[in-house]
Amino acid sequence: MYEIKRYLQNRDDVYSIINGVESGLKEQLVSGLSGSARSMFTTLIQEATHKKTLIVTHQLTQAQQLYEDMLEFSQEKNVYLYPVNELLASELAVASPELLSQRITALINWLNTDNAILIAPVAALKRMLPPVEYWQTYQLHFELEQIIDIDQTLEYLVEMGYLRQDMASSPGEFSLRGGILDIYPITEEQPLRIELFDDEIDSIRYYDAESQRSLEKQEQVTIVPTTELLLKDSDLVAAGQKLEQSLNKTVKKVKNKSDQQVLTETITADIDRLNHCERFQEIRKYAAFFYDDNYSLLDYLPEDGFIILDEMSRIQETASHLDNEEQEWLKDNLQRGKAVGDSRLSFDWNEVWNNMKQQRLYLSVFLRHIPNTNPTNIVNLSCRAMQQFHGQMNLLENEMDRWHKGEISVIILAPNQSRMEKIQSVLEDYQMSATISETLPNLPVQHPVITIGNISGGFELPMHKIAVITENE
């Protein structure tokens, strides 16, 4: 895959985008690319510029496909997916442990890597997050013979979202029995047991949650949070005070005495829980009250970072829908006495857009003006999705002949060695020759090459004389 990227990187149109990033152009637009060709292009641009990058899609399904393809194209494998569901109800429901684990792992890895890529749907950009420094504070590192403050460690685990139980039998739980501290991180398949001799770590090992049988020993481990809403006790108390002020303002606007009473009773109960530093089920609906300033993923990206917006028009459409959905939620909860006037689940899209100070690259299938954008470099890259041959080898033979006459380099991808050999055998049965090569030779190539690769779909770049076929086609 590297050879395709290296070859394209030196083409004038592609290089103009790279040069635009390096020279500081604020906005650029690339049209024409779709599918795996788009994934390859975004990987190429990021690797050429070495910038920490945030890629935004309009939905999670597009983010997942882009992530899987980019992993295949990426040399450094520093690509991470931040999976956020577009449904408002999912924000307030119990989070999927798998998605939550993936988000936390992705966020920490992205923050800790200078030129990493984070792929996220636009719903993720609207989320309210803790200050970025919290992610450094709330990681617990343990190693053998380390002296620890057990009381502070237990306090940190609670602030990191862990729930204290008699036994740590499920992800997100911890327990302390005598000199044994058990922690079940959501990012691990098995819980961890840390045995203490007074305040010194004597052993660290994984164990089976059901049988309690010890598994492999560890010399050191790092425990990450089990929630994205990292809260100090002082944050909870401060939120209680802000919520009380907002309640007083909201009550004055409610005319019906019965509605006032329902509102006061409901919100006061939550204020009491916040004042007692309780972390409860629907605490995220008070996300706007916890920190001195509200933060989004954009605040986690340096000012010299890079943002790629995949189908900007559809991103704006989805963001507008999410804004309207939240307004309906707020209106409904205000009527039912379950929210105050200052309640917010996320940022408004206009806030996000106005806060976007980094360099931006817009990707669009069609060459057209995108509202609220002003790209100073526009490049149209001709691309065709590879047709499905459905086993009709005469169609493939005709295309092979056309590509040969047009001096187009043909690259056939297979997931492993045995599939490469199978494809070569099938082609030979129909008098089509192709060379097997585990690594792609320098482009252009005179004859079709079968190499290892596993992307979602093939494509043809007519102007750059490249055709990529996957096993699927």
Side-chain angles (χ1 to χ4, degrees):
M1 295 296 189
Y2 167 76
E3 177 54 33
I4 303 178
K5 292 184 295 179
R6 188 199 64 80
Y7 174 77
L8 291 174
Q9 185 176 327
N10 295 320
R11 303 304 97 184
D12 289 345
D13 46 8
V14 176
Y15 179 74
S16 74
I17 297 294
I18 296 171
N19 186 57
V21 176
E22 293 175 340
S23 63
L25 291 185
K26 206 66 180 177
E27 298 177 70
Q28 300 187 80
L29 168 65
V30 172
S31 65
L33 295 176
S34 61
S36 296
R38 181 176 292 192
S39 307
M40 180 183 64
F41 175 79
T42 51
T43 309
L44 182 162
I45 296 297
Q46 193 277 336
E47 289 182 349
T49 55
H50 303 289
K51 284 181 172 287
K52 179 168 283 190
T53 301
L54 175 62
I55 301 178
V56 185
T57 67
H58 72 285
Q59 286 186 335
L60 178 56
T61 50
Q62 278 67 36
Q64 288 170 326
Q65 182 178 324
L66 189 61
Y67 167 71
E68 290 167 4
D69 275 351
M70 288 187 70
L71 270 184
E72 192 70 24
F73 286 116
S74 175
Q75 277 187 289
E76 300 180 23
K77 306 301 179 187
N78 57 348
V79 183
Y80 305 102
L81 175 66
Y82 189 73
V84 173
N85 200 299
E86 293 84 21
L87 296 175
L88 184 65
S90 68
E91 283 292 282
L92 300 175
V94 177
S96 156
E98 292 78 14
L99 290 184
L100 182 58
S101 170
Q102 194 174 357
R103 284 201 298 269
I104 290 172
T105 301
L107 204 54
I108 290 173
N109 286 332
W110 183 61
L111 288 172
N112 292 337
T113 310
D114 288 338
N115 64 336
I117 303 168
L118 187 71
I119 305 173
V122 65
L125 250 66
K126 289 169 50 61
R127 292 182 121 222
M128 292 181 175
L129 298 171
V132 65
E133 60 268 18
Y134 276 36
W135 291 102
Q136 295 296 333
T137 302
Y138 290 112
Q139 291 186 55
L140 292 176
H141 182 74
F142 298 108
E143 58 184 47
L144 294 177
E145 300 181 0
Q146 177 185 348
I147 304 299
I148 67 169
D149 183 328
I150 190 63
D151 291 333
Q152 186 182 57
T153 298
L154 299 182
E155 181 182 333
Y156 266 43
L157 285 169
V158 171
E159 291 177 350
M160 290 164 67
Y162 287 87
L163 182 64
R164 185 168 184 173
Q165 301 284 26
D166 293 334
M167 294 182 68
S169 55
S170 299
E173 296 178 349
F174 76 97
S175 69
L176 178 67
R177 294 170 292 143
I180 299 175
L181 174 62
D182 290 342
I183 307 172
Y184 201 150
I186 62 168
T187 53
E188 302 287 347
E189 293 184 5
Q190 301 289 352
L192 283 157
R193 175 158 292 160
I194 299 171
E195 295 185 0
L196 302 169
F197 182 76
D198 194 15
D199 57 357
E200 181 181 328
I201 295 178
D202 190 49
S203 74
I204 304 172
R205 68 189 71 198
Y206 289 101
Y207 69 93
D208 186 281
E210 293 185 7
S211 68
Q212 297 292 302
R213 182 172 56 87
S214 293
L215 303 174
E216 64 268 25
K217 294 182 179 181
Q218 303 292 310
E219 291 189 1
Q220 58 183 11
V221 294
T222 298
I223 307 297
V224 301
T226 188
T227 178
E228 295 156 283
L229 198 62
L230 299 170
L231 297 167
K232 300 177 182 178
D233 285 352
S234 57
D235 295 326
L236 293 165
V237 174
Q241 295 171 350
K242 295 175 189 174
L243 185 57
E244 186 171 5
Q245 294 171 0
S246 185
L247 171 62
N248 293 334
K249 289 191 297 181
T250 306
V251 166
K252 291 177 182 178
K253 297 178 181 178
V254 178
K255 297 179 181 179
N256 185 286
K257 293 294 184 183
S258 177
D259 292 342
Q260 286 183 350
Q261 183 177 354
V262 171
L263 174 65
T264 302
E265 289 177 355
T266 301
I267 303 303
T268 299
D270 286 346
I271 292 172
D272 289 342
R273 291 197 280 184
L274 291 171
N275 288 335
H276 287 89
C277 301
E278 182 182 340
R279 293 153 174 84
F280 49 94
Q281 174 65 45
E282 292 190 341
I283 196 169
R284 181 166 277 281
K285 72 179 182 181
Y286 299 122
F289 294 93
F290 291 119
Y291 312 111
D292 292 336
D293 292 304
N294 292 317
Y295 302 85
S296 75
L297 277 178
L298 292 178
D299 298 297
Y300 287 21
L301 183 67
E303 284 192 11
D304 63 350
F306 189 43
I307 302 174
I308 299 176
L309 296 128
D310 187 2
E311 289 299 336
M312 185 62 190
S313 297
R314 301 188 75 177
I315 288 172
Q316 291 172 330
E317 183 182 323
T318 300
S320 177
H321 172 76
L322 291 170
D323 285 348
N324 293 335
E325 189 181 6
E326 180 167 335
Q327 287 300 316
E328 288 298 317
W329 173 88
L330 179 58
K331 180 180 178 181
D332 178 62
N333 278 268
L334 282 171
Q335 290 175 344
R336 295 191 295 149
K338 292 191 173 184
V340 292
D342 296 323
S343 293
R344 299 171 69 197
L345 294 179
S346 65
F347 291 102
D348 176 87
W349 172 246
N350 286 329
E351 289 180 276
V352 175
W353 181 248
N354 292 332
N355 193 37
M356 203 176 287
K357 309 301 183 187
Q358 296 87 349
Q359 286 180 282
R360 302 189 286 276
L361 173 65
Y362 311 116
L363 301 179
S364 176
V365 172
F366 304 107
L367 182 57
R368 61 188 177 192
H369 174 67
I370 302 170
N372 304 315
T373 68
N374 185 30
T376 50
N377 182 32
I378 299 174
V379 174
N380 183 42
L381 298 174
S382 178
C383 174
R384 300 177 192 146
M386 186 57 61
Q387 67 172 297
Q388 297 284 336
F389 296 102
H390 301 293
Q392 300 178 66
M393 303 307 289
N394 61 315
L395 294 180
L396 177 58
E397 189 175 6
N398 290 338
E399 284 293 86
M400 287 284 205
D401 185 55
R402 178 176 69 83
W403 290 325
H404 178 70
K405 290 177 180 176
E407 298 182 343
I408 291 176
S409 297
V410 178
I411 301 152
I412 304 172
L413 301 180
N416 52 50
Q417 181 69 32
S418 63
R419 296 307 298 168
M420 286 197 296
E421 293 172 359
K422 177 65 175 175
I423 289 172
Q424 185 184 47
S425 174
V426 170
L427 291 176
E428 287 175 350
D429 289 342
Y430 289 88
Q431 288 76 52
M432 289 181 278
S433 62
T435 305
I436 287 179
S437 177
E438 287 192 11
T439 57
L440 195 61
N442 292 342
L443 295 179
V445 292
Q446 300 299 315
H447 303 285
V449 176
I450 306 172
T451 191
I452 290 179
N454 189 20
I455 58 177
S456 58
F459 54 88
E460 181 180 351
L461 301 173
M463 302 301 293
H464 299 94
K465 295 186 176 295
I466 292 178
V468 177
I469 311 172
T470 71
E471 191 177 37
N472 295 331
E473 286 98 29

